[in-house]
Amino acid sequence: MKALCWEGIGDVRVETVPDPKILNPRDAIIRITATAICGSDLHIYDGYIPTMKQGDILGHEFMGEVVEVGRGVKNLKPGDRVVVPFTIACGHCSNCERKETSLCDNSNPNAGLAENVYGFSGSGLFGFSHLFGGYAGGQAEYVRVPFADVGPIKIPNGIEDEKVLFLSDIFPTGYMAADNCNIQKGDVVAVWGCGPVGQFAIKSAFLLGAERVIGIDHHPHRLAFARDRNGAEIINYEETDVIQALAALTGGRGPDACIDCVGLESHGHSVDALYDRAKAMVGLTSDRFHALREAIYACRKGGTVSIPGVYGGLLDKFPLGSAFAKGLTFKMGQTHVQRYLQPLLERIERDEIDPSFVITHRLKLDDAAEGYKTFYKQQDTCMKVVLKP
Amino acid sequence: MSMTSPESRSSIPRVSLKAIRDIENGRSTKSAINVGNVERWASGVGGGLMVVQGLRRGNFSGLALAVLGGALAYRGFTGHCQAYQALDINTAGKRRSDEEESIYKGVLIKHTCTINRTPMEIYDYLQKPENHQNFNVRVESVTKSADGKWHWAIKGPLGSTWRFDSERITDEPGRLIAWKSLPGGDVDNAGSIRLNSAFEGKGTEVTMEVSYEPPAGSVGVAIAKMLGHDPDAQIREDLRRLKQLLETGEVPTVQGQTAGHGRA
Ligand SMILES: NC(=O)c1ccc[n+]([C@@H]2O[C@H](COP(=O)([O-])OP(=O)(O)OC[C@H]3O[C@@H](n4cnc5c(N)ncnc54)[C@H](O)[C@@H]3O)[C@@H](O)[C@H]2O)c1
Ligand SMILES: [Zn+2]
Ligand SMILES: [Zn+2]
């Protein structure tokens, strides 16, 4: 089959590789019908995620048709249409029972490695480095899905792929980011980063009852998108002092909740990203987190800082004093995708949201490398790339 | 899931750099081992690294083969199971005395985790010899005979097989099992698995303690470690696989999955 492989920093290629096969009883093989490139893939592309190996197949946002199931999978059969959560979860450990599926105890084959780095291991993830299990991803024609009896959600015929594809990651991610803010009537929510995750966070904050949402970025098209398509007020951080602007927009109180949809490469892909990389000693760079620092300073007293943006290493000059003085609540982590699949599919079926709104580019899987380059270099006009095998 | 208690971290055996040099310089292996034993509990991670580097600097593989080869030929067993004495299995909460500590010559490894099953379910699983092969990947074969004895063949370093028989010395269904090896085996060992139900609905806290005296004592351990046999990590992973099998019915893997040419 064809698959997009990571060959090194800034180097991804579509190659012909062996077809995946069932390795465990609860596995299924899915023929991919649609897959997407995520901001998280850019962190890998950019070399920010350690423990990648040459030849690793990328991609964690995908859907398709079941072609084969292991003997432990009773609820799926060949022909079923499914969307697959990017977080791999066993369904039976205590974390899974609490629906905290990105914290599954049992899905990371390299849990020992993650424990050495983080003290604990989260769930395995598709196409997201060996620290998270080294699972081959879904930017391919076929993919092996572990614990297929509890992960994938069946999609009824009649809803097109593009409407449900983002249930795999960014819609639940934006939604959980807003859900974590405990939004009350009249609340103002500020969202750093108007990429796909930010757009879904903005949309979800409104769905969950926010009065106003303020989007922050520097890409004019992305800001305009947040304003025109999703109803956000906007701040361009290159033109305006963000903390002052947020204070002015909230009568000096600060936003009730601040969401960091930027993650560890805050301020884009500038020269100092290279410098940070040079600093990396044992594999983990010090993360860059200007956006998160701003979110902490800007948030109102007693407010919530919600962090869907990915962090992997250590932070310098983290303003804990400010957070402590203001009694802030922090919520963060990889998305518990499985928890949100059903309710969000229902919202799509009720036409409350059509997640395909973020798609700006549609490419063949063969052109995936081009897709990465475009998404990486032209963030302003390229919001979301969907690949079709 | 954190499987490593602070206690178990400090219990990883260390061998001093001096001990290694002594061996390299042809000084008595015996005294080197003693030095190793004295320092066993003391040094931290840095010490471990020094050992590794020390071994790397010497003619490592030759040394490893020499020591290990000698060790496999020499089974210094008296029939008195010292590994067993090191285990705290007699009375709950009883601490080992310094004296006991000093006569104990082997390795003591302890890991704990919580398994989302009842103590009896875990106990029942452990009663079947064939299940031990599922979570302990070093077991080549294990059987149980009518007299209650277990017969083990375990993968040792360098393609060797360690054989020994063991018997249960404590067997409290749903609470505690403990075993010790019988005289005449290749490796003197003892262990216990303690099951404590966490409060309602939170599963069972499983504590695995394994103590063994490998051939060639602590130096043997350091060398085995160099050869990729890290007993502490192995037991941590055994316990993890036990949890995975009991909770999910399988062990997660990417072995044999597809990848690009860069790797093939
Ligand atoms: N938690 C999860 O489970 C999860 C899931 C998916 C994605 N993510 C993470 O979410 C983040 C966003 O993903 P995406 O796909 O939208 O990425 P993206 O790269 O398309 O978007 C990031 C946006 O942040 C903007 N930005 C950079 N520095 C900023 C700053 N200082 N202030 C405000 N905006 C700034 C960029 O201009 C860009 O528009 C990434 O870190 C990604 O890894 C997390
Ligand atoms: Zn993603
Ligand atoms: Zn789980």
Side-chain angles (χ1 to χ4, degrees), chain A residues 18 24 55-56 105-106 115 134, chain B residues 1 243 247 251 257-258 260 263:
Chain A
N24 261 340
D56 283 347
D105 279 344
N106 295 320
E115 281 173 6
Chain B
M1 166 182 57
K243 174 181 164 74
E247 290 186 348
V251 173
Q257 73 171 359
T258 178
R263 257 233 306 300

Side-chain angles (χ1 to χ4, degrees), chain A residues 4 12-14 45 365-374 387:
Chain A
L4 181 104
V12 293
R13 290 178 219 164
V14 174
Y45 189 68
L365 177 64
D366 291 315
D367 303 323
E370 208 42 49
Y372 269 81
K373 212 170 272 165
T374 312
L387 305 167

Side-chain angles (χ1 to χ4, degrees), chain B residues 13-91:
Chain B
R14 309 290 179 200
V15 186
S16 75
L17 199 53
K18 179 177 175 300
I20 300 298
R21 293 233 175 86
D22 283 350
I23 301 173
E24 286 174 339
N25 298 338
R27 262 175 243 141
S28 148
T29 315
K30 193 158 183 301
S31 76
I33 292 170
N34 288 339
V35 173
N37 282 334
V38 171
E39 297 195 359
R40 189 178 70 235
W41 306 100
S43 50
V45 175
L49 285 174
M50 282 201 318
V51 174
V52 171
Q53 283 159 4
L55 278 167
R56 284 223 170 102
R57 244 175 263 129
N59 179 357
F60 163 65
S61 50
L63 173 70
L65 284 164
V67 176
L68 214 75
L72 286 172
Y74 163 69
R75 295 175 188 166
F77 296 106
T78 58
H80 171 72
C81 183
Q82 289 165 326
Y84 163 52
Q85 285 193 351
L87 285 173
D88 186 18
I89 49 177
N90 296 328
T91 34

